[in-house]
Amino acid sequence: MTGMTSFTSVPIVDVSALRSPDAADRERVSNEIGRAAREVGFFYVSGSGVDESTFDRMLEATKDFFALPLEEKMRSYIGLSRCHRGYVPVGEEGVAEGVPDLKEAFDTALDLPADDPDYLSGNPMLGPNTWPDLPGFAEAVTEYYEAVLEVGHLLLRAFAVALGEDPETFTRHATKTPSQLRLVHYPFNPDAQDAMGIGAHTDYECFTLLKPTAPGLEVLNGAGQWIDVPPVPGTFVVNIGDLLELWTSGAFVATSHRVRKVAEERYSFPLFFNVDYDTEVKPLPQFVSADLPQRPPLKAGEHLFAQTAQSFAYLRQRVDSGDLVLPEGSLKLNQFGQQALPGVE
């Protein structure tokens, strides 16, 4: 059962003490994180240790890329990749019907060598990044990715401690993860009206570390109200994803969220922190009882791939043509979060 409250704001947790040699300090912060995960499903983290200059370099590189002509950006088109990396043009991503959201993106992840055995065996989410021919772009993005990924490992341990588990409960499964960093650009749109942009959804991985440059993000509280999550300088926004919801049988909820249309130009940088592709995710023993409905286990990477394949046009076309088959037991979109829990509207 979810403990989500009728919160009206998102808490800020200073996570600097997660690096403390004092176990009591680490446990105190972990408990704060656990409380936010149970009651809100969203929180800001300050004290991450990621230098703002690292973000600034990545932001400038991102702006340089998106300023290129479309035909130049399409040389890195994601549909040319064998492991879902590269440029996502307007209209490529989203629901199969309806008006596409006015946004473009560039998708990256763990940058593996071309001779990586998982990539060579056809893994759809592991392999080398696609990099445009733009000086400094790959270096700036990689530096940011590695810095934020390290924060993700700290949080993964903290979530385990908050649940009263061994600190390595989750991190032992995070050795070669398909954790994606998306560079998302919402161009200035003078015709934008205050309306839904990206619809309500949850994230497919364990949790997300997000840094946006402008407002627009909203989160659904326990009373069914949409609450603004504006940018706060010096912080990341963290939200629980599908896999932590499954591991905890809903004690941590993969909070439904959306992006509203805003006129101003906006950049958004979510890092979706995952565990290893073949990790079997199922409720921890403490959450298994006759009183709790038990969801079937999922493989972390297969869930990510199945959800992705239902969200991107180039992959949907391959599924429709029979060239691509979703993993057995794949869930349809939006099977997690408050809207998927019994008794929650």
Side-chain angles (χ1 to χ4, degrees), residues 4-74:
M4 183 163 292
T5 63
S6 303
F7 60 88
T8 56
S9 62
V10 173
I12 299 176
V13 180
D14 182 346
V15 298
S16 55
L18 290 180
R19 294 186 171 90
S20 170
D22 188 333
D25 287 342
R26 299 195 302 272
E27 184 173 358
R28 172 181 54 79
V29 177
S30 296
N31 289 335
E32 283 188 60
I33 289 170
R35 190 177 312 114
R38 289 183 175 91
E39 298 179 359
V40 182
F42 259 69
F43 54 98
Y44 297 94
V45 297
S46 62
S48 68
V50 178
D51 196 294
E52 283 296 313
S53 64
T54 302
F55 173 76
D56 292 341
R57 282 190 293 273
M58 189 264 306
L59 176 59
E60 288 308 309
T62 299
K63 289 179 176 179
D64 289 343
F65 173 77
F66 286 124
L68 294 172
L70 179 60
E71 58 269 23
E72 184 68 24
K73 290 183 285 191
M74 286 298 287

Side-chain angles (χ1 to χ4, degrees), residues 226-304:
W226 288 101
I227 306 301
D228 284 330
V229 188
V232 173
T235 71
F236 293 94
V237 178
V238 175
N239 64 273
I240 303 301
D242 295 351
L243 298 186
L244 276 178
E245 179 178 309
L246 179 56
W247 253 318
T248 64
S249 285
F252 292 175
V253 179
T255 321
S256 297
H257 53 286
R258 68 185 186 186
V259 177
R260 293 183 73 83
K261 293 181 180 178
V262 293
E264 64 189 290
E265 184 174 37
R266 181 176 185 267
Y267 294 88
S268 181
F269 302 95
L271 189 145
F272 301 101
F273 195 98
N274 212 338
V275 285
D276 295 335
Y277 192 93
D278 290 325
T279 302
E280 184 184 60
V281 179
K282 60 183 179 180
L284 294 166
Q286 67 168 290
F287 296 106
V288 176
S289 75
D291 300 329
L292 287 173
Q294 296 301 301
R295 285 184 159 185
L298 293 171
K299 278 194 175 179
E302 289 185 353
H303 178 62
L304 168 61

Side-chain angles (χ1 to χ4, degrees), residues 24-339:
D25 287 342
R26 299 195 302 272
E27 184 173 358
R28 172 181 54 79
V29 177
S30 296
N31 289 335
E32 283 188 60
I33 289 170
R35 190 177 312 114
R38 289 183 175 91
E39 298 179 359
V40 182
F42 259 69
F43 54 98
Y44 297 94
V45 297
S46 62
S48 68
V50 178
D51 196 294
E52 283 296 313
S53 64
T54 302
F55 173 76
D56 292 341
R57 282 190 293 273
M58 189 264 306
L59 176 59
E60 288 308 309
T62 299
K63 289 179 176 179
D64 289 343
F65 173 77
F66 286 124
L68 294 172
L70 179 60
E71 58 269 23
E72 184 68 24
K73 290 183 285 191
M74 286 298 287
R75 292 182 182 180
S76 303
Y77 174 52
I78 197 165
L80 302 174
S81 167
R82 287 168 41 202
C83 55
H84 195 66
R85 315 292 172 90
Y87 177 61
V88 182
V90 174
E92 173 71 35
E93 180 190 5
V95 293
E97 60 277 340
V99 179
D101 191 44
L102 184 61
K103 78 164 193 269
E104 56 184 344
F106 193 94
D107 286 10
T108 71
L110 185 66
D111 196 10
L112 297 170
D115 62 354
D116 176 81
D118 286 306
Y119 177 62
L120 293 178
S121 68
N123 188 296
M125 305 303 290
L126 291 172
N129 279 334
T130 296
W131 295 118
D133 185 15
L134 191 64
F137 181 85
E139 292 79 6
V141 173
T142 299
E143 181 187 21
Y144 180 80
Y145 178 85
E146 292 176 348
V148 180
L149 198 70
E150 194 269 336
V151 179
H153 280 281
L154 286 175
L155 292 178
L156 199 59
R157 286 186 179 87
F159 284 124
V161 172
L163 292 165
E165 299 282 343
D166 184 291
E168 304 304 314
T169 295
F170 303 130
T171 56
R172 65 171 60 103
H173 300 297
T175 63
K176 183 183 180 182
T177 73
S179 299
Q180 301 178 92
L181 171 63
R182 307 202 70 203
L183 321 176
V184 188
H185 176 221
Y186 300 82
F188 173 69
N189 180 14
D191 299 322
Q193 298 184 4
D194 185 18
M196 188 170 63
I198 299 176
H201 66 285
T202 62
D203 295 339
Y204 315 141
E205 298 85 353
C206 290
F207 58 91
T208 303
L209 283 147
L210 170 73
K211 200 165 181 69
T213 64
L217 178 63
E218 295 182 328
V219 57
L220 189 65
N221 72 7
Q225 302 164 319
W226 288 101
I227 306 301
D228 284 330
V229 188
V232 173
T235 71
F236 293 94
V237 178
V238 175
N239 64 273
I240 303 301
D242 295 351
L243 298 186
L244 276 178
E245 179 178 309
L246 179 56
W247 253 318
T248 64
S249 285
F252 292 175
V253 179
T255 321
S256 297
H257 53 286
R258 68 185 186 186
V259 177
R260 293 183 73 83
K261 293 181 180 178
V262 293
E264 64 189 290
E265 184 174 37
R266 181 176 185 267
Y267 294 88
S268 181
F269 302 95
L271 189 145
F272 301 101
F273 195 98
N274 212 338
V275 285
D276 295 335
Y277 192 93
D278 290 325
T279 302
E280 184 184 60
V281 179
K282 60 183 179 180
L284 294 166
Q286 67 168 290
F287 296 106
V288 176
S289 75
D291 300 329
L292 287 173
Q294 296 301 301
R295 285 184 159 185
L298 293 171
K299 278 194 175 179
E302 289 185 353
H303 178 62
L304 168 61
F305 174 62
Q307 300 295 290
T308 302
Q310 296 174 73
S311 303
F312 282 76
Y314 86 95
L315 289 171
R316 287 201 306 268
Q317 291 167 3
R318 294 179 188 175
V319 171
D320 292 343
S321 70
D323 291 340
L324 186 65
V325 178
L326 296 182
E328 186 177 350
S330 296
L331 300 177
K332 294 182 178 180
L333 295 172
N334 298 320
Q335 299 298 302
F336 287 85
Q338 302 98 304
Q339 294 165 316

